[in-house]
């Protein structure tokens, strides 16, 4: 059974930083892609970052590029999301997800339909 557990959410002022963690337990062969998504009240879930567990190739949404960084420690195995220069519009519940994909990358790695396993979410609140 695969389980994802997020931690590290909280409240911060605009311009501040937070680091989210997501620990994966279960059969690691069931995933070769890890992603972070977020959902703000009244909005659709949005993919913000993804990383290949094999090559560590990353992809970011335009809304967080240059401010957020996704990284992976395969030994733990844990995926991180370092969030810098936070803005009030970054306020959302952040979810970690895992997928086993075949074929080429591209924008598909930021689509939630590609992911099978999900964590419970962690709240991030950024005040102005």
């Amino acid at each position: 059974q695969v389980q994802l557990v997020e931690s590290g959410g909280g409240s911060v002022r605009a311009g501040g930083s937070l680091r989210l963690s997501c620990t994966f337990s279960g059969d690691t062969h069931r995933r070769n892609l890890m992603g972070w998504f977020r959902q703000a009240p009244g909005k659709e879930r949005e993919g913000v970052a993804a990383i290949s567990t094999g090559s560590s190739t990353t992809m970011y949404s335009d809304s967080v590029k240059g401010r957020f960084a996704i990284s992976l420690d395969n030994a733990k195995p844990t995926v991180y999301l370092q969030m810098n220069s936070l803005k009030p519009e970054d306020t959302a519940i952040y979810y970690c997800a895992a997928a086993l994909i075949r074929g080429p990358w591209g924008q598909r790695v930021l689509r939630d339909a590609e992911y099978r396993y999900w964590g419970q979410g962690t709240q991030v609140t950024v005040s102005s």
Side-chain angles (χ1 to χ4, degrees):
Q1 185 175 353
V2 171
Q3 188 175 18
L4 301 173
V5 179
E6 302 104 332
S7 61
S11 297
V12 66
R13 299 291 292 270
S17 298
L18 283 173
R19 189 177 81 154
L20 305 182
S21 301
C22 172
T23 300
F24 178 100
S25 61
D27 186 355
T28 57
H29 293 96
R30 294 192 178 195
R31 60 104 169 101
N32 58 7
L33 174 68
M34 301 289 293
W36 284 99
F37 291 76
R38 67 186 182 186
Q39 188 165 23
K43 294 188 176 181
E44 292 187 355
R45 188 159 54 188
E46 171 194 18
V48 297
I51 186 167
S52 163
T53 62
S55 66
S56 294
T57 302
T58 59
M59 180 167 286
Y60 298 92
S61 67
D62 288 343
S63 60
V64 306
K65 197 174 296 181
R67 299 189 298 122
F68 290 12
I70 188 171
S71 60
L72 177 68
D73 184 342
N74 269 321
K76 293 190 176 180
T78 299
V79 63
Y80 303 96
L81 186 68
Q82 178 66 44
M83 305 184 294
N84 299 324
S85 302
L86 282 160
K87 305 175 181 179
E89 51 263 43
D90 294 319
T91 296
I93 298 175
Y94 283 71
Y95 298 90
C96 173
L100 182 65
I101 65 168
R102 296 286 184 255
W105 262 48
Q107 285 297 315
R108 64 183 290 207
V109 301
L110 295 180
R111 296 190 196 121
D112 55 5
E114 297 286 347
Y115 291 78
R116 179 175 182 181
Y117 305 105
W118 292 84
Q120 81 287 352
T122 185
Q123 177 70 46
V124 171
T125 302
V126 184
S127 59
S128 57

